Amino acid sequence: MPKIRVALVGVGNCASALVQGLQYYAKIEGKEFVGLRNGVLGGFCPSDIEIVAAFDIDERKVGKDLSEAIFCQPNNTPKLADVPLLNVVVYRGPVIDGLGEYTKNVVRVSAHPEANVAMILKESDSEVMLNLLPSGAVKASQWYADQALISECAFVNATPNFIASDAAWAHRFEIAGLPVVGDDLIDQVGSTTLHKTLLQLLSINGVHITETYQLDVGGGTESLDTLDRTKDLKRVIKTKSVEAALPYEAAVVAGSTDYVDFLQNRRDSYFWIKGVHFCNVPVQIDLKLSTVDAPNAGSVLLDVIRAVKVALERKAKGALVPICAYGFKHPPKFMPHETAEKMFTEFINEEA
Ligand SMILES: NC(=O)c1ccc[n+]([C@@H]2O[C@H](COP(=O)([O-])OP(=O)(O)OC[C@H]3O[C@@H](n4cnc5c(N)ncnc54)[C@H](O)[C@@H]3O)[C@@H](O)[C@H]2O)c1
């Protein structure tokens, strides 16, 4: 199979888990792909994905080989695999709004001159740009989306900034004949998915939910940025998504709450569900889910990247709803989980 040539924007925790995951799954190829939703997707194995370019702003990462940069602070996701020299240098991108009030104390801006991003994308023959910038980097995400357009790359937006779900941006990619997918990646074992599934299960069984909340705390740089800049946005996205799981109105709150540095890259999510069942008798659930944040993105990222390659081969363009609805919390079109899964499978298996 041809390689899928990916440019990484932001060499943070998510990028670290992805790069390590590619090494991990390359080693076990031919055996069972334990931990992945799809071993082979659209004919592609994880080892068909190749990172060919990378951009960051932190002095501890810029100028280093990607294999070294992913383990530099403030990244704190655990080591999952040995990563050999990749011969991919991390280039310095423009900061724009990449730093917030809180993260500027944690990220150290490199003194390297800014690289010519479009030129590097062309020279490295990148075909998919993966946006892993902090969630508060609204303008920087848009700037990189522009570079993807200039350099004829498909754009995968893992951040909660609205690009694929924004009609004007989707139109620009459509005109350019390029795919765009997003926004806000869904985790493999996501608190929002778990919450929705629980509510659906209870509701199908006749339980009437009256109140429910989902709150989480994390220790990655992204949790710090969320606390500062995107708490409200994430609350809107998550609450909207959870509300859609119930066929009636209930008091729903879902969002990120705080940053707890000693958690490292762990994320603890707390769920509270209150309702009534037979003869108005009360029932309640109090749950905690503990995950490591960045590896939780890995499986869905591998699926989304491979699906975008399938789309590129078919010359599909604009915001691709089957990929967006399967892999992202804020797609251009909301639909039940099962419908999204079915649509995605049909898209992958569609005859070219
Ligand atoms: N499970 C998950 O981790 C998950 C799930 C859904 C969405 N996301 C999204 O993925 C994104 C990345 O998450 P993360 O945990 O890796 O964040 P992170 O903070 O660890 O990494 C962000 C990286 O971007 C770099 N950066 C900042 N400004 C930049 C700029 N202008 N140009 C280039 N690089 C810049 C930072 O130095 C850092 O290395 C976030 O937007 C997050 O919301 C992550």
Side-chain angles (χ1 to χ4, degrees), residues 78-100:
K79 181 160 180 189
L80 313 168
D82 288 327
V83 181
L85 190 76
L86 295 170
N87 290 314
V88 177
V89 173
V90 177
Y91 284 102
R92 158 84 148 83
V95 178
I96 316 174
D97 58 353
L99 293 179

Side-chain angles (χ1 to χ4, degrees), residues 279-299:
C279 294
N280 219 24
V281 171
V283 55
Q284 79 189 38
I285 294 179
D286 210 348
L287 267 184
K288 175 184 169 188
L289 167 73
S290 212
T291 54
V292 184
D293 212 24
N296 209 351
S299 176

